[in-house]
Amino acid sequence: MNSNFQVAYKKIRPSVVGIGFSDGKTTSIIGTGFIVSENGWILTNRHVLEPLIAEKEKATGIHGNAAISLFVTVPPTDDKFQAMAGVMVVGVTQISFPEPRELPPTEDSKLNELSAEQVLTPDLPDLGLCKIEPATLHPAALPLKPAVFKYPTEGLEGLPVGILGFPQGLNLPAEFSASSQLQMTPLLQTGVISGALPITGMPNPENYILDIFVNGGSSGSPLFDTEGNIVGVVYATRQRYEPVIQTDYEGNHTELENVGVRLPSALGIAVPTGRIPEEWFQTMITKETPNKAG
């Protein structure tokens, strides 16, 4: 089985963007997204976009410093811009979230003799869309390159996969030297789909479990196969909460409320493409459907 991701990296790389804030000088990336339409729509996680929404005087809108960072090859025009060649920052113009589907009536329904109360119902996937205006971009970034989607009809357990994003986020200062080791590109991580939730072997699982450590900042990264086709969207890492236990001189143990640490495992979680409703794309992306693998 092929596990070489060099071709896939080159295919996915132009689609990946950083999501965060910029004040015109410094830029911070808090999450990842990827382009799904030439007219500027970007797919990511809902929890990545929520910090970009500002509330002021009971009105809700997009934060004025909300920004998308595109990492493109832009030849510098002179020495003044050489240090920033390759990074392009643009504002966010729209943010949209999928609406929950209406579930069919479950009264007196049975599934293999199980009552409806015993059947797992899907939660709304952690997904969101934001938009940039291509007309505001440097010609070197155009045309935007949408990722190619693949909708598997069966489980993908054991499939070699990669993710491309910004683990732990990024901070781009206003000035830095060429030798500062500043990361100015998304990073590739590879592994396999270890299983599916809630049950491995399901034809359309709720989530994939990845043998890939997912850091904060990688949320919203594309999950893709060795051909560079999108099979999911990364959104979390498995973790457990360890509370702090206090022991007195008599040996009595007391758990301190709201005091502890979250310990991540080496496993990530992703939303399969099968959970991205095509009608949602058609609604949000002005009647355009995402590119599909043949």
Side-chain angles (χ1 to χ4, degrees):
M1 182 177 290
N2 178 27
S3 58
N4 188 324
F5 285 88
Q6 287 180 301
V7 172
Y9 175 88
K10 292 178 181 179
K11 182 177 180 179
I12 292 291
R13 170 66 181 75
S15 303
V16 175
V17 302
I19 299 175
F21 301 92
S22 177
D23 62 5
K25 295 181 179 179
T26 60
T27 299
S28 63
I29 293 175
I30 63 172
T32 305
F34 56 99
I35 298 165
V36 295
S37 170
E38 286 189 9
N39 64 6
W41 284 105
I42 294 166
L43 181 62
T44 184
N45 296 143
R46 183 186 187 105
H47 78 263
V48 171
L49 293 177
E50 285 176 338
L52 275 59
I53 298 174
E55 293 187 8
K56 185 178 181 181
E57 297 179 356
K58 298 183 179 181
T60 301
I62 299 174
H63 194 288
N65 288 344
I68 302 296
S69 297
L70 294 88
F71 290 72
V72 298
T73 302
V74 182
T77 54
D78 54 53
D79 291 341
K80 179 179 178 181
F81 296 102
Q82 188 170 2
M84 289 301 293
V87 180
M88 191 175 300
V89 180
V90 63
V92 178
T93 60
Q94 295 184 52
I95 293 178
S96 300
F97 299 123
E99 297 296 330
R101 289 178 173 178
E102 291 187 8
L103 297 177
T106 57
E107 292 182 7
D108 301 324
S109 63
K110 293 284 185 178
L111 178 63
N112 292 334
E113 301 305 317
L114 295 174
S115 67
E117 289 77 17
Q118 295 170 297
V119 177
L120 293 172
T121 56
D123 292 326
L124 195 65
D126 186 354
L127 297 173
L129 284 169
C130 63
K131 192 176 188 300
I132 59 176
E133 293 302 329
T136 65
L137 296 173
H138 187 284
L142 299 173
L144 296 176
K145 297 178 175 59
V148 177
F149 282 72
K150 187 174 183 179
Y151 294 91
T153 57
E154 58 184 19
L156 298 181
E157 293 85 352
L159 181 75
V161 288
I163 68 175
L164 192 61
F166 300 91
Q168 299 182 354
L170 279 183
N171 286 299
L172 302 175
E175 296 182 2
F176 53 90
S177 68
S179 60
S180 63
Q181 299 185 2
L182 181 69
Q183 177 189 332
M184 294 174 65
T185 183
L187 299 181
L188 173 68
Q189 296 174 263
T190 62
V192 299
I193 294 180
S194 300
L197 297 175
I199 304 170
T200 289
M202 292 180 63
N204 188 21
E206 292 294 298
N207 296 291
Y208 288 136
I209 302 175
L210 314 175
D211 185 21
I212 301 175
F213 187 87
V214 174
N215 291 271
S218 293
S219 292
S221 297
L223 176 71
F224 51 91
D225 60 20
T226 55
E227 296 179 354
N229 299 319
I230 304 295
V231 296
V233 184
V234 175
Y235 77 95
T237 186
R238 279 198 158 183
Q239 57 185 357
R240 72 177 190 272
Y241 180 73
E242 289 288 345
V244 172
I245 305 297
Q246 191 174 54
T247 304
D248 62 21
Y249 65 92
E250 294 181 348
N252 299 313
H253 304 294
T254 303
E255 179 180 321
L256 299 183
E257 187 176 358
N258 300 323
V259 179
V261 63
R262 294 193 179 277
L263 301 176
S265 74
L267 298 174
I269 304 178
V271 179
T273 51
R275 295 198 64 206
I276 306 173
E278 290 195 55
E279 61 267 27
W280 177 48
F281 274 103
Q282 292 168 356
T283 300
M284 299 297 183
I285 311 179
T286 60
K287 305 300 180 183
E288 296 179 14
T289 54
N291 290 340
K292 293 184 181 179

